[in-house]
């Protein structure tokens, strides 16, 4: 997935490459806000059960794309980062029966 995004971005001529990290983080925040908006719309602002729809899926894809871009621009391996996070969460569940850090 990360390589697919890297290849896609390598063909773009419409934007600065790489995007500054601060700008990418703002982009992720913006995309996450759009995903949240689609959740609210799909659940009638929490009054009905959420049902996935194409707009929510598209916004999820935008968040994921932006995260993969950030990983590429920072020289991170997204798969390795995810594996480390899962290991961290596994330890928390084992030790505290919780995903939270307890902070």
């Amino acid at each position: 997935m990360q390589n697919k995004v890297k290849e896609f971005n390598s063909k773009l001529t419409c934007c600065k490459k790489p995007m500054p990290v601060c700008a990418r983080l703002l982009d992720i925040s913006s995309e996450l806000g759009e995903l949240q908006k689609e959740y609210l719309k799909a659940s009638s602002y929490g009054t009905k059960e959420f049902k996935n729809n194409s707009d929510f899926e598209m916004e999820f894809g935008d968040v994921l794309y932006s995260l993969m871009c950030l990983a590429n621009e920072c020289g991170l391996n997204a798969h390795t980062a995810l594996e480390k996070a899962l290991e961290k969460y596994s330890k928390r569940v084992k030790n505290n029966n919780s995903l939270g850090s307890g902070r």
Side-chain angles (χ1 to χ4, degrees):
M1 183 176 356
Q2 186 173 349
N3 285 333
K4 190 172 188 175
V5 168
K6 187 175 186 176
E7 182 181 326
F8 175 82
N9 285 350
S10 72
K11 297 174 184 171
L12 296 178
T13 59
C14 60
C15 52
K16 182 178 179 180
K17 296 182 266 184
M19 182 183 282
V21 172
C22 61
R24 181 60 68 194
L25 290 170
L26 288 170
D27 177 57
I28 291 168
S29 182
S30 174
E31 294 297 350
L32 190 55
E34 292 177 26
L35 180 65
Q36 293 165 336
K37 180 180 80 174
E38 291 305 325
Y39 171 82
L40 288 173
K41 286 170 46 180
S43 68
S44 293
Y45 286 80
T47 62
K48 296 181 181 173
E49 183 177 335
F50 169 75
K51 292 191 180 179
N52 186 16
N53 61 47
S54 61
D55 291 334
F56 185 83
E57 183 177 21
M58 183 66 73
E59 294 303 337
F60 180 86
D62 289 350
V63 171
L64 194 54
Y65 168 77
S66 293
L67 285 169
M68 293 300 106
C69 288
L70 178 65
N72 287 334
E73 290 159 2
C74 291
L76 295 173
N77 181 304
H79 179 79
T80 300
L82 177 60
E83 290 296 320
K84 288 179 179 180
L86 291 174
E87 184 178 325
K88 173 181 69 176
Y89 292 131
S90 292
K91 287 178 184 175
R92 287 180 182 174
V93 169
K94 181 180 175 185
N95 295 333
N96 305 320
N97 198 32
S98 172
L99 292 173
S101 67
R103 296 182 201 179

